[in-house]
């Protein structure tokens, strides 16, 4: 950004970088540089590149300005000898940047009291490089992959330990996020887990990463926390619910989970009035586990009247009809799966259609887990639980940023044009038809909802 003075002495609006580049190009000042780039005589990035050279010139000019401000006079000032402190040469220093290494001459003063702010003492990287490293790590690249990528693309060589320390700098943010205060009421909470591999001594073991997503009173879905445990179990989920309560969650209307045995009791220990709903998608998947491939489509169609029934009694009639049908007799385990989970499957049938769509499945977490699995599958395993939580948190932030960027690009689309970018997977996405669902919740739970409206 630069400013130009008008004919009347009034300073015009500052030019953007794009406008400055356009004016330089139009003036012909860049023609020789472009010709050298075209002939391969001048690289853009890396050692000896044009961009690192420009960065070096800009930084050294800024450092000289800082020193002049510190000493009280400009370089070459004839009155310099009247000041108690003076310039004393420079010290060479190489810093890593987004475009390659930059060799700088850091100016010094005789008193040794000058502390540069533009390139702080002890700093070996310019701003922006750390963000690139964290972004690559969040995208699923290993530390050694990042090390090779930076060396191959921008010529910046950083040690494995340095990259590890850069990624560890987010741990404070992870800890703060994991312990942040929560709202007193979440009408709906989804609970699910995915498997990650973590080193335990001399072995690599499967561990369950438990994730909770809550829908707040505005219908916005938010990831409430990530917890690592040896296996997914009702006892551990009970401790998760207790921690959420300690962080401020006083009441939950409906908890949607995957039908784990003992889950209702685990939830009731913290929120005794909460309704526990087994995910219908999980139940259907379990019911069709032993169904032959050729019959899967027919069985799926035959199960629809059960979970689309107007009430529990009608659903029972449809289940009995399926059990007595030819498909039911051929696959008795399918009907048995519904019968075993009947008490945890039927709660959503007592609600109107708009609310059913909100609580019948944990797909809000399933879609998130699908994205997370794509990122962690390249990792092999994690050295410890904290490393797994760190990557999952970074991955969630990365997923959200990509969705937000996609939607920003399409912000100018007309209403008639089909929207291409996906909505946010979790945090920031408003639940479909939430106003209608909240109105129905207010009728079912008036005493618990109204204090929070």
């Amino acid at each position: 950004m630069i400013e130009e003075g008008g004919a009347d002495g009034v300073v015009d609006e500052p030019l953007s970088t794009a406008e400055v580049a356009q004016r330089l190009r139009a003036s012909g000042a860049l023609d020789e540089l472009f010709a050298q780039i075209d002939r391969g005589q001048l690289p853009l990035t890396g050692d000896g590149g044009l961009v690192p050279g420009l960065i070096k010139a800009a930084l050294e000019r800024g450092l000289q300005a800082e020193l002049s401000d510190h000493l009280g006079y400009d370089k070459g000032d004839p009155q310099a000898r009247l000041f108690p402190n003076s310039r004393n040469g420079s010290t060479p220093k190489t810093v890593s940047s987004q475009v390659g290494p930059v060799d700088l001459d850091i100016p010094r003063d005789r008193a040794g009291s000058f502390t540069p702010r533009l390139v702080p003492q002890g700093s070996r990287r310019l701003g922006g490089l750390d963000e690139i490293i964290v972004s690559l790590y969040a995208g699923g690249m290993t530390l050694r992959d990042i090390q090779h990528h930076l060396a191959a693309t921008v010529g910046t060589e950083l040690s494995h330990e340095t990259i590890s320390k850069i990624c560890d700098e987010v741990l404070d943010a992870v800890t703060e996020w994991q312990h942040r205060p929560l709202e007193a009421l979440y009408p709906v909470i989804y609970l699910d887990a995915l498997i990650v591999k973590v080193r335990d001594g001399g072995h690599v073991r499967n561990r369950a990463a438990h994730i909770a997503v809550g829908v707040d009173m505005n219908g916005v879905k938010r990831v409430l926390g990530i917890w690592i445990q040896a296996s997914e179990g009702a006892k551990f989920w009970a401790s998760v619910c207790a921690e959420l309560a300690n962080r401020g969650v006083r009441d939950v209307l409906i908890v949607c989970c995957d039908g784990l045995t003992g889950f209702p009791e685990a939830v009731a220990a913290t929120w005794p009035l909460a309704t526990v709903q087994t995910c219908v998608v999980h139940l259907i998947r379990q019911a069709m586990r032993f169904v032959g491939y050729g019959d899967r489509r027919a069985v799926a169609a035959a199960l629809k009247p059960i979970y689309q029934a107007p009430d529990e009694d009608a659903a029972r009639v449809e289940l009995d009809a399926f059990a007595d049908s030819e498909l039911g007799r051929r696959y008795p385990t399918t009907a048995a799966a519904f019968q075993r989970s009947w008490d945890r499957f039927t709660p959503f049938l007592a609600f109107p259609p708009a609310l059913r769509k909100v609580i019948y499945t944990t797909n809000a977490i399933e879609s998130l887990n699908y994205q997370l699995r794509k990122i962690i599958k390249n990792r092999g395993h994690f050295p410890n639980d904290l490393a797994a939580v760190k990557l999952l948190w970074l991955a969630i932030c990365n997923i959200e940023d990509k969705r937000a960027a996609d939607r920003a690009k399409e912000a100018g689309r007309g209403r008639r044009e089909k929207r291409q970018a996906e909505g946010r997977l979790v945090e920031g996405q408003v639940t479909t038809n939430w106003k209608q669902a909240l109105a129905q919740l207010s009728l079912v739970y008036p005493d618990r909802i109204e204090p929070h409206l």
Side-chain angles (χ1 to χ4, degrees):
M1 305 283 282
I2 61 174
E3 296 180 350
E4 293 186 350
D8 55 359
V10 179
V11 177
D12 298 333
E13 289 294 326
L15 299 176
S16 68
T17 53
E19 291 172 330
V20 172
Q22 184 62 31
R23 291 195 178 190
L24 287 173
R25 183 177 180 179
S27 69
L30 301 177
D31 291 348
E32 180 59 29
L33 288 176
F34 290 154
Q36 292 185 39
I37 293 171
D38 292 340
R39 293 193 298 266
Q41 298 174 342
L42 180 63
L44 284 175
T45 60
D47 190 16
L50 171 62
V51 178
L54 293 174
I55 293 175
K56 170 181 172 66
L59 289 178
E60 289 182 348
R61 180 182 179 186
L63 289 168
Q64 288 292 345
E66 283 189 19
L67 182 58
S68 295
D69 183 66
H70 176 73
L71 297 176
Y73 65 90
D74 294 329
K75 188 175 183 179
D77 189 334
Q79 305 295 322
R81 60 181 179 274
L82 301 178
F83 291 83
N85 197 3
S86 62
R87 286 173 166 79
N88 188 30
S90 62
T91 301
K93 179 177 184 177
T94 301
V95 293
S96 300
S97 75
Q98 298 166 268
V99 294
V102 178
D103 296 323
L104 297 174
D105 292 322
I106 308 296
R108 300 177 305 194
D109 65 324
R110 290 193 179 278
S113 57
F114 174 57
T115 303
R117 297 185 301 275
L118 196 58
V119 184
Q121 291 181 353
S123 173
R124 291 293 175 182
R125 300 182 303 278
L126 297 181
L129 185 61
D130 288 12
E131 288 78 3
I132 289 178
I133 292 173
V134 172
S135 178
L136 293 174
Y137 185 82
M141 293 182 68
T142 65
L143 299 181
R144 297 197 184 279
D145 287 341
I146 296 173
Q147 183 181 25
H148 175 73
H149 175 78
L150 294 176
T153 55
V154 299
T156 297
E157 296 186 1
L158 297 178
S159 68
H160 179 275
E161 292 74 16
T162 298
I163 297 175
S164 178
K165 289 179 180 178
I166 293 172
C167 295
D168 284 344
E169 289 176 358
V170 305
L171 287 177
D172 290 341
V174 175
T175 301
E176 181 181 356
W177 173 82
Q178 186 76 5
H179 295 91
R180 73 193 189 281
L182 301 175
E183 297 185 15
L185 172 68
Y186 286 90
V188 183
I189 285 182
Y190 306 99
L191 302 175
D192 200 7
L194 72 158
I195 300 300
V196 295
K197 297 183 181 296
V198 179
R199 177 168 293 280
D200 182 10
H203 303 278
V204 174
R205 306 185 187 279
N206 288 339
R207 297 176 75 82
H210 301 69
I211 299 177
V213 172
V215 181
D216 64 18
M217 288 294 293
N218 295 319
V220 179
K221 299 174 185 176
R222 304 189 183 280
V223 180
L224 305 182
I226 304 170
W227 301 266
I228 304 291
Q229 179 67 7
S231 61
E232 184 180 8
K235 183 177 180 180
F236 183 74
W237 275 121
S239 66
V240 169
C241 293
E243 179 178 327
L244 293 176
N246 291 335
R247 289 167 56 192
V249 183
R250 297 290 174 257
D251 192 13
V252 177
L253 304 182
I254 301 167
V255 177
C256 188
C257 56
D258 62 359
L260 190 69
T261 302
F263 217 123
E265 293 77 14
V267 172
T270 303
W271 304 301
L273 299 179
T275 298
V276 178
Q277 171 65 49
T278 291
C279 173
V280 175
V281 174
H282 277 82
L283 181 56
I284 294 173
R285 196 178 300 159
Q286 179 184 356
M288 298 183 63
R289 180 175 300 172
F290 301 108
V291 175
Y293 182 79
D295 291 329
R296 293 181 71 86
R297 187 183 297 272
V299 172
L303 293 177
K304 274 189 177 181
I306 301 174
Y307 58 84
Q308 291 182 349
D311 53 42
E312 181 178 351
D313 292 337
R316 172 61 73 177
V317 172
E318 295 293 346
L319 178 60
D320 293 340
F322 171 79
D324 293 337
S325 68
E326 180 182 350
L327 285 174
R329 290 192 295 271
R330 188 183 308 170
Y331 302 108
T333 56
T334 299
F338 275 86
Q339 291 166 354
R340 287 194 305 269
S341 304
W342 191 255
D343 291 340
R344 301 191 301 275
F345 157 69
T346 55
F348 85 107
L349 295 174
F351 298 106
L355 189 51
R356 288 189 185 188
K357 293 180 181 180
V358 176
I359 65 174
Y360 84 101
T361 178
T362 59
N363 275 355
I365 286 188
E366 289 290 336
S367 58
L368 172 64
N369 286 352
Y370 171 75
Q371 297 290 331
L372 296 179
R373 289 189 185 98
K374 291 196 300 183
I375 292 171
I376 64 178
K377 70 178 181 180
N378 296 328
R379 302 304 305 237
H381 65 272
F382 295 93
N384 50 56
D385 292 349
L386 189 58
V389 172
K390 178 179 66 176
L391 178 60
L392 291 174
W393 179 79
L394 285 170
I396 290 171
C397 296
N398 199 34
I399 290 168
E400 294 304 320
D401 288 344
K402 287 191 292 186
R403 295 299 178 272
D406 289 342
R407 287 195 306 280
K409 290 180 182 178
E410 297 183 358
R413 279 180 171 271
R415 291 187 177 182
R416 294 182 180 180
E417 297 182 61
K418 186 176 180 181
R419 190 172 184 275
Q420 301 295 326
E422 298 180 29
R424 287 201 172 188
L425 293 176
V426 277
E427 194 165 355
Q429 180 188 12
V430 178
T431 305
T432 304
N433 296 325
W434 176 248
K435 291 294 185 181
Q436 187 177 356
L438 184 61
Q440 294 172 355
L441 283 171
S442 299
L443 296 175
V444 179
Y445 307 104
D447 296 338
R448 298 162 66 186
I449 284 281
E450 290 180 3
H452 302 277
L453 291 176

